[in-house]
Amino acid sequence: MRSGRFKKDLSDAMRALNASIDFDRRLYAEDIDGSLAWAEALRARGIISLEEEQRIRDGLEKIREEIDSGRFHFSQELEDVHMNVESRLTALTGAAGERLHTGRSRNDQVATDFRLHLKRAAHAAFDSVTELISAMTGAAERFVDIVIPAYTHLQRAQPVLLAHHLLAYAEMLLRDRDRFLWAADQADACPLGSGACAGNQFGVDRELLRRKLGFSRLTHNSMDAVSDRDFACDFLHAATLLLVHLSRLSEDLILWTSTEFGLVVLDDSVTTGSSMLPQKKNPDACELGRGKVGRVVGNYVSLVTTLKGLPLTYNKDLQEDKEAVFDSIDTLNSLLPVFKLMVETLQVRQDRAEALLQGGFLEAISVADYLTRKGVPFREAHRIAGKAVRRAEALQVSLPELGLEEYMALDARFGSDLFEAISIKGALADKDVVGGTAPRRVHEEIDRLKKLLAAERE
Ligand code: ARG
């Protein structure tokens, strides 16, 4: 690359700064696929012969094998994966290899490689998230009879099915899955044939390139095509929200595994011990799920910040896109299988669930609703129910334990049917709307998810 224009060598320090081979070697498979398609397009245009195309093809497949098997020598002198592959190809094929870069730039080459890579990564993330949704649905089904308090402000609020709580995460994960699909679609445009920035000067058949590489459409502006990394931001955004959701799940599980809650027991296969305290069984998987949000959000901010204010078209700043994306891909790949296992092996303690329902005056809203159903305006009913809570608190009893005389002293409209109406069972059953925690509605949601996932598997 330098032998024509430059008299002096690159300094060692600049070589180290400039080279991306240590991380962009991850793109070698896509780079080889791109070059195979490019060779075919050059041959179709009469720029190389059929025989040269065949030699390039054989050479590239040999390079693929060498890299696959760890025998390839990557060199920092050659900067990046594109030059490493091309240089080896030339060593293998001579003049044929030297013709391959005709009309192509590393700018459209790297954009192509990166889009191919992200398409795959986004589809893989979609699949892993789907498996987690399936595990979550399975857990909801296993624990469908367990009732827990739902919390607002981390104060006990209303009884719900534990399954309802778990399915809340399934909903978040369904949205995450869609975002990965969207990210895959955003990456799914072929930029090859955009050249350095102005387009291809040999009339290369971009439609052929698109078909060969499995893209669904072409990019429509060469200047945008070589400088656009929006698709990578879309992927990182999807990863960010997924991690935010996993961190919330993590926090719930960390609380629930504490002795104070004691609601959940995590399997030995996903918990760790303490080097000092023999009794400890730590929810490290959750803490890592919560902790890794930082780097994944950081990766998103890093790329978006790199793009901000960049003049058109390609600038070397764009080389900074890769590590952020690779790190987020690696983070997803390390977390998602563990989360799946953790959810699949989750155990719940029925006795602790029952204990958590005691003492939080969870029935207060049912007391108010009881009066409301008797025609009392809600605000008045709310006041009366509040007084009942105060009275129960003073007598150190629960709302169902507060006697009928006590209720009647507060308001004459209370009757003996009150206690049935404020039972936990009643409070669950009356949330009988789409999205409510009534057991029959929760069963419907479990069925809906199971059908959805089963239909996709077919
Ligand atoms: N290693 C470069 C990158 O990752 C490839 C593109 C280089 N293009 C260039 N004109 N220097 O972005």
Side-chain angles (χ1 to χ4, degrees), residues 20 24 80 82 106-107 110 314 316 319 322:
S20 54
D24 70 11
D80 54 27
H82 324 293
R106 281 185 291 163
N107 299 351
V110 74
Y314 179 86
K316 195 60 172 263
Q319 181 165 285
K322 287 167 212 60

Side-chain angles (χ1 to χ4, degrees), residues 35-193:
S35 286
L36 288 168
W38 189 248
E40 185 172 339
L42 290 182
R43 198 257 304 144
R45 215 51 212 132
I47 295 164
I48 60 172
S49 67
L50 191 60
E51 195 255 318
E52 283 173 319
E53 186 200 345
Q54 195 49 54
R55 291 184 41 209
I56 289 173
R57 195 166 282 283
D58 294 346
L60 287 170
E61 290 305 350
K62 185 170 162 50
I63 293 169
R64 195 198 299 276
E65 265 172 46
E66 287 175 356
I67 302 179
D68 280 345
S69 63
R71 278 180 295 125
F72 190 91
H73 173 70
F74 287 104
S75 138
Q76 225 190 38
E77 324 270 276
L78 294 165
E79 279 188 30
D80 54 27
V81 66
H82 324 293
M83 296 308 294
N84 270 271
V85 171
E86 186 185 322
S87 150
R88 176 76 182 128
L89 182 68
T90 303
L92 290 170
T93 66
E98 295 222 287
R99 288 188 206 280
L100 178 64
H101 211 53
T102 310
R104 185 175 68 171
S105 161
R106 281 185 291 163
N107 299 351
D108 56 354
Q109 194 176 0
V110 74
T112 305
D113 295 0
F114 205 33
R115 282 173 175 272
L116 287 172
H117 195 78
L118 271 176
K119 256 179 76 175
R120 283 185 197 142
H123 284 298
F126 178 94
D127 290 342
S128 304
V129 173
T130 302
E131 288 186 33
L132 186 53
I133 295 170
S134 168
M136 200 61 87
T137 309
E141 198 170 27
R142 261 184 298 139
F143 305 124
V144 77
D145 293 327
I146 293 185
V147 184
I148 59 166
Y151 294 76
T152 62
H153 314 272
L154 209 54
Q155 309 287 318
R156 291 181 204 179
Q158 290 185 276
V160 291
L161 293 190
L162 171 63
H164 198 50
H165 193 128
L166 296 175
L167 291 182
Y169 286 104
E171 290 297 310
M172 294 175 224
L173 293 169
L174 283 166
R175 296 193 294 273
D176 290 324
R177 227 170 58 123
D178 283 348
R179 269 183 288 271
F180 282 114
L181 220 49
W182 159 257
D185 182 61
Q186 287 301 299
D188 196 15
C190 182
L192 201 54

Side-chain angles (χ1 to χ4, degrees), residues 356-369:
L356 291 175
L357 291 171
Q358 306 305 317
F361 304 111
L362 290 172
E363 301 86 354
I365 180 68
S366 297
V367 171
D369 290 341

